[in-house]
Amino acid sequence: GEKGPQASRAVQSQVQCPGIQKVILEVFPYEMPLVCPLTSQAVEQEQARKDQNVLTRKGFYFVLRLPEYDFATPLLGEVATLPGVHTESLEEVALQMQMVAGYVNGRELNLSSLKVDTSGNWLRNEVGLDAHQLFPSVRCGLESALFSAASHIRGISLSKLLLSQNSSWTSLSNTPIPDRIEVNALVMSSTPDVEAMVHEAGMLIEKGYTTLKIKLARGISPEDDARAVLTLRASIDKSVTLRGDANRR
């Protein structure tokens, strides 16, 4: 394949975007039932304080449309705060999202100039929004919808668009930009119920997952965690990758 600077130029040429686009942006709430309660320590503390489990996931979508295009799938940006994790409440998020939609809706925006490392400047110059005044969750949802739109009108995947703007990736001339990004599955069961972990892992593997993430450091000793990982590792095919998550209990 092509190497060196020529390959980088080839990548950049793939993502040239048509000019300014009229944008329609709306906000819609959603509520989905959960298979089991949320499991982060902060959420569990909040549930204990209210003496109830969180059995639904509530949030909002930015839904973005470009009148000049008829996309088969909606262009979405999800905003879903968690009690005990985010400082902003769902009510505050809803108000700010409606404010943002009011700024964006009906504007003609130059999506070709939207870049990952300068998105804050783009929001200020194109939309008139100060990104630093937005809740992190709201900014994430807004930019998700905008970058989805930018990738769709180029006719490429979102991952290809984002990676094409990453100088570290484009300098790796022999590394192709993937059209799809695989995700791992989360094993909801955790120590000390190793039998349940093994059973759940087997079900996920049957569904086609090749990487499993397991929760660790939930008040059990490191020795118990180690035994659980070793037992699970011995119970599944070696081709399946295990990831340990101990960054939040």
Side-chain angles (χ1 to χ4, degrees):
E2 198 171 71
K3 299 182 179 180
Q6 291 183 341
S8 296
R9 286 197 296 271
V11 168
Q12 293 168 3
S13 69
Q14 296 176 34
V15 294
Q16 297 303 311
C17 176
I20 295 174
Q21 303 292 326
K22 183 178 180 180
V23 172
I24 304 300
L25 187 68
E26 299 174 285
V27 177
F28 291 94
Y30 72 84
E31 182 173 343
M32 295 186 293
L34 297 175
V35 175
C36 54
L38 297 170
T39 58
S40 78
Q41 186 181 53
V43 172
E44 288 170 349
Q45 290 174 346
E46 184 73 8
Q47 291 175 154
R49 185 179 68 83
K50 294 183 178 181
D51 193 26
Q52 62 182 16
N53 287 331
V54 177
L55 295 175
T56 59
R57 190 78 161 99
K58 297 179 181 179
F60 299 89
Y61 286 123
F62 279 121
V63 180
L64 188 151
R65 293 184 291 112
L66 302 175
E68 294 185 16
Y69 292 83
D70 183 20
F71 299 128
T73 57
L75 306 174
L76 303 178
E78 183 183 13
V79 183
T81 57
L82 284 172
V85 177
H86 295 88
T87 58
E88 63 267 31
S89 67
L90 277 175
E91 291 77 15
E92 291 171 321
V93 160
L95 289 173
Q96 190 172 86
M97 289 180 72
Q98 292 292 350
M99 180 273 292
V100 168
Y103 269 91
V104 175
N105 195 31
R107 284 180 179 263
E108 293 187 343
L109 303 179
N110 185 6
L111 292 170
S112 64
S113 62
L114 179 60
K115 308 293 182 185
V116 173
D117 55 355
T118 57
S119 60
N121 291 335
W122 188 92
L123 287 173
R124 182 178 63 251
N125 297 331
E126 288 286 325
V127 185
L129 287 172
D130 184 350
H132 299 292
Q133 297 300 315
L134 297 178
F135 294 127
S137 58
V138 172
R139 179 178 177 181
C140 179
L142 175 61
E143 292 187 355
S144 295
L146 289 168
F147 276 105
S148 292
S151 67
H152 272 65
I153 61 178
R154 290 167 169 82
I156 61 175
S157 66
L158 179 58
S159 61
K160 183 168 288 188
L161 171 65
L162 297 179
L163 287 171
S164 70
Q165 296 182 7
N166 185 320
S167 58
S168 298
W169 185 281
T170 55
S171 65
L172 301 173
S173 56
N174 291 325
T175 306
I177 296 178
D179 288 313
R180 301 177 63 188
I181 301 294
E182 293 186 351
V183 298
N184 60 241
L186 173 63
V187 178
M188 298 299 296
S189 306
S190 60
T191 52
D193 194 351
V194 180
E195 184 176 342
M197 293 175 65
V198 171
H199 176 71
E200 187 178 349
M203 294 177 62
L204 292 169
I205 293 169
E206 286 183 3
K207 292 180 178 179
Y209 288 101
T210 58
T211 300
L212 306 180
K213 184 172 76 170
I214 55 178
K215 291 286 189 177
L216 303 172
R218 288 186 163 178
I220 311 299
S221 71
E223 291 78 14
D224 287 335
D225 277 339
R227 280 191 289 270
V229 171
L230 291 173
T231 300
L232 183 57
R233 176 73 279 173
S235 302
I236 61 177
D237 193 273
K238 290 190 170 98
S239 64
V240 177
T241 301
L242 289 181
R243 292 176 176 168
D245 180 5
N247 64 332
R248 186 187 294 277
R249 293 184 176 181

